[in-house]
Amino acid sequence: MKKNSEYLERNTRYISYMKDVFRKQRHDYMNYFQIIYGYLQLGKTEEAIGQIKKIIQLNSNISQIYKLSLFHISIFLDNVIKEMEDLEYIVDIDVINNTKNTISFFDNEEKIIENLGLIFTYFLEKDIESKKNIGIKIEEFEDRISFIFFGENKISTLIKINENVKIIEDNGRINVVFKLKNYI
């Protein structure tokens, strides 16, 4: 009986969260349309086209993120990428899911999200003048997830090093590999 109650509670939280995500997404898209509409009313077609290109790139990144089977990491990255886009970062994400899973779970998810939070906070706290293009290649396996960052450095100093994190620095690229514990 307790398992059913936990299951119901978890599903209720998930549905509530997804409802909020969809509401926010609708709000964001209405804002995008209003901006484009405003540019077009003012005859600023180049600005409208620029805004459309930004939306296309954002949607491409979000589509890539949801190739991951690690749902909570996808949601975390979705929120961060939208925030970076709002701050006029140019982000390009490429995801390769080497598993056959559409959804997976593992035990050390919170630690990985915590470390990713440190990395992205680093990007978000930089001065506007120093913002650059940021490329991120993410590769998921059943035992690990790898993030390769292009265009920035000093990321490795932010990671809380432990036996489940490996960092490889090579020619301005930082590869952060998180081992997944008890992957299901």
Side-chain angles (χ1 to χ4, degrees), residues 7 16 20-21 28-29 31 50 63 65 80 84 97 106 117 121 131 152 167-168 175:
Y7 177 78
S16 176
D20 290 343
V21 166
D28 290 346
Y29 280 98
N31 284 343
S63 177
I65 288 167
V80 168
M84 292 177 83
N97 183 341
F106 59 101
T121 297
K131 294 194 191 285
E152 285 290 337
I167 298 170
I168 304 162
N175 185 0

Side-chain angles (χ1 to χ4, degrees), residues 3-176:
K3 286 199 180 227
N4 286 339
S5 174
E6 290 172 3
Y7 177 78
L8 182 61
E9 183 181 330
R10 189 177 334 122
N11 282 344
T12 301
R13 282 195 317 266
Y14 171 75
I15 291 168
S16 176
Y17 176 81
M18 290 310 297
K19 185 177 174 183
D20 290 343
V21 166
F22 292 139
R23 183 181 298 121
K24 184 179 181 322
Q25 186 179 55
R26 187 198 62 75
H27 175 75
D28 290 346
Y29 280 98
M30 287 304 297
N31 284 343
Y32 294 141
F33 285 127
Q34 288 174 345
I35 290 168
I36 293 166
Y37 182 69
Y39 281 141
L40 292 173
Q41 279 187 315
L42 296 171
K44 297 183 175 186
T45 55
E46 289 301 314
E47 288 86 348
I49 290 169
Q51 187 69 25
I52 291 168
K53 286 179 180 178
K54 274 177 56 175
I55 295 166
I56 289 169
Q57 181 61 40
L58 174 63
N59 280 310
S60 174
N61 284 332
I62 290 171
S63 177
Q64 287 290 310
I65 288 167
Y66 284 101
K67 286 181 181 179
L68 294 170
S69 73
L70 309 170
F71 182 66
H72 291 103
I73 289 178
S74 295
I75 290 172
F76 170 80
L77 292 171
D78 182 326
N79 289 328
V80 168
I81 297 308
K82 286 177 183 171
E83 188 174 345
M84 292 177 83
E85 192 271 340
D86 286 345
L87 295 172
E88 299 185 12
Y89 278 87
I90 299 171
V91 181
D92 185 31
I93 295 179
D94 180 33
V95 172
I96 300 170
N97 183 341
N98 293 300
T99 73
K100 292 184 168 75
N101 302 330
T102 55
I103 189 92
S104 302
F105 301 96
F106 59 101
D107 289 345
N108 59 331
E109 169 178 78
E110 288 179 18
K111 282 290 180 198
I112 291 174
I113 290 173
E114 179 184 329
N115 273 314
L116 289 172
L118 291 171
I119 292 169
F120 286 104
T121 297
Y122 168 78
F123 286 121
L124 296 172
E125 288 179 349
K126 288 209 155 267
D127 295 332
I128 286 285
E129 297 82 38
S130 67
K131 294 194 191 285
K132 298 178 181 176
N133 294 347
I134 299 170
I136 306 168
K137 180 178 180 182
I138 305 169
E139 197 163 1
E140 178 185 351
F141 301 89
E142 289 188 1
D143 66 335
R144 67 192 182 281
I145 184 167
S146 170
F147 293 81
I148 300 174
F149 295 90
F150 306 84
E152 285 290 337
N153 54 24
K154 297 184 176 76
I155 294 168
S156 59
T157 61
L158 304 169
I159 305 292
K160 294 183 178 178
I161 302 298
N162 62 53
E163 71 276 3
N164 297 312
V165 179
K166 182 178 180 183
I167 298 170
I168 304 162
E169 299 185 44
D170 180 38
N171 294 330
R173 295 167 37 166
I174 307 293
N175 185 0
V176 181

